[in-house]
Amino acid sequence: MCSGRVDLEFVLRAFSNGMDGVFIGGCRLNECNYITHGNYHALTMVLLCRKIMEHIGLNPERLRIEFMSSAEGTVFAELMSEFGNKVSKLGPLGKAEGIDQNELKSKLAEITKLVPYIKLVKNEKLASRLENPEEYDKFFTKDEIDKLFSEVVSYYIDPEKCQACMTCAKRCPVEAIISAKNQIHVIDQEKCIKCGTCLEVCPPKFRAVMEIAGAPVPPPIPEEKRTIVRKSKKLNHRQSF
Ligand code: SF4
Ligand code: SF4
């Protein structure tokens, strides 16, 4: 119903599925029926996505957003026809840009996995209302996007500090924490969406969750070494088997 509902992930999925172009049609800016003004969200999402496309070597012109009213059928038809011709001229996705199909698929999959993280980091800018079209192209810069991907954070549970209180596992929104009673907790990096909740909720007296930026995450502690043996209520002592 609303262009604001078009998530960055939807656009990436369309390209991953081999679409050569994506067109998003929204209501005219400042004519939204709701206080949310979702079309501004769609606009900032598109501006971000275009820069991401450039970052991975895709032509950003393959993604377009236009705003019009439901009474402007002719405008819609003209824009679609113009965009269709443009995409035809650009040629097949990836091939025209000289990117190998498998490489493109893996790049798109990598970015798609980072969508929740990207939205979290760029949350404030994504909520902006850009009134002046001259701002559009410079709103997200190349350097900013390069930095976004070179400094991606990861979360890691320090096995020396984890006390298996299970708080992080209960709060993780995607069940990415391997958790069991009296077992050192471990983050499944494949499932983790980098929301940072575990870092926030790990009790200050343990501070077991670490944020690692732009560097590899240490390997998880082997399963057979995860058991914590508590000797008394007051004093915890860990033994590894
Ligand atoms: S960063 Fe978020 S998704 Fe990842 S393990 Fe922590 S709570 Fe779960
Ligand atoms: S909240 Fe902290 S101490 Fe508790 S299980 Fe998670 S990482 Fe371990």
Side-chain angles (χ1 to χ4, degrees):
M1 280 297 288
C2 175
S3 55
R5 180 68 185 91
V6 184
D7 198 277
L8 175 58
E9 193 176 338
F10 301 171
V11 180
L12 294 171
R13 193 191 307 155
F15 288 127
S16 299
N17 286 342
M19 298 299 128
D20 295 324
V22 174
F23 182 98
I24 299 163
C27 300
R28 287 182 183 207
L29 293 171
N30 301 321
E31 289 185 12
C32 180
N33 282 320
Y34 308 102
I35 55 163
T36 49
H37 287 269
N39 41 10
Y40 277 105
H41 289 263
L43 172 61
T44 51
M45 181 277 291
V46 164
L47 298 177
L48 174 63
C49 191
R50 280 201 188 133
K51 291 289 175 196
I52 292 174
M53 291 169 74
E54 279 183 77
H55 178 79
I56 59 172
L58 287 177
N59 190 326
E61 289 184 36
R62 294 182 183 278
L63 173 61
R64 184 158 171 183
I65 186 163
E66 292 289 346
F67 306 100
M68 66 206 86
S69 85
S70 55
E72 292 176 310
T74 324
V75 175
F76 177 67
E78 279 170 4
L79 286 169
M80 288 309 295
S81 159
E82 190 195 308
F83 184 63
N85 290 335
K86 172 100 203 169
V87 173
S88 296
K89 272 193 200 143
L90 289 176
L93 182 81
K95 208 171 171 185
E97 285 96 342
I99 314 175
D100 173 77
Q101 287 302 302
N102 289 333
E103 190 193 337
L104 179 60
K105 275 226 165 245
S106 89
K107 279 183 176 178
L108 286 168
E110 208 177 303
I111 305 272
T112 305
K113 207 179 145 224
L114 289 174
V115 165
Y117 172 73
I118 296 169
K119 289 200 292 193
L120 200 72
V121 176
K122 295 293 165 198
N123 179 32
E124 220 170 286
K125 282 184 99 170
L126 285 168
S128 306
R129 284 197 196 172
L130 294 178
E131 304 286 350
N132 184 356
E134 285 177 12
E135 288 178 76
Y136 291 1
D137 203 40
K138 291 182 189 141
F139 190 58
F140 292 102
T141 66
K142 184 184 175 305
D143 287 353
E144 178 184 2
I145 300 303
D146 290 348
K147 196 170 167 216
L148 175 71
F149 292 112
S150 66
E151 291 180 3
V152 170
V153 305
S154 298
Y155 294 90
Y156 172 72
I157 295 174
D158 184 341
E160 292 300 318
K161 293 185 179 171
C162 179
Q163 290 298 313
C165 71
M166 302 173 105
T167 311
C168 57
K170 284 181 196 147
R171 296 284 300 275
C172 175
V174 291
E175 297 180 357
I177 299 176
I178 303 163
S179 161
K181 209 175 165 194
N182 291 330
Q183 293 279 306
I184 294 167
H185 286 39
V186 169
I187 294 176
D188 180 339
Q189 300 296 332
E190 284 303 304
K191 284 190 186 169
C192 174
I193 58 167
K194 304 176 191 298
C195 68
T197 304
C198 49
L199 179 74
E200 273 171 39
V201 301
C202 182
K205 59 183 172 186
F206 304 141
R207 290 195 197 287
V209 182
M210 296 159 60
E211 190 179 72
I212 301 173
V217 180
I221 181 167
E223 255 183 271
E224 64 278 12
K225 291 192 175 173
R226 290 182 194 167
T227 306
I228 298 174
V229 175
R230 303 178 198 281
K231 286 208 164 168
S232 79
K233 277 186 185 169
K234 275 192 175 172
L235 182 69
N236 289 341
H237 175 73
R238 183 197 315 276
Q239 279 181 358
S240 297
F241 298 97

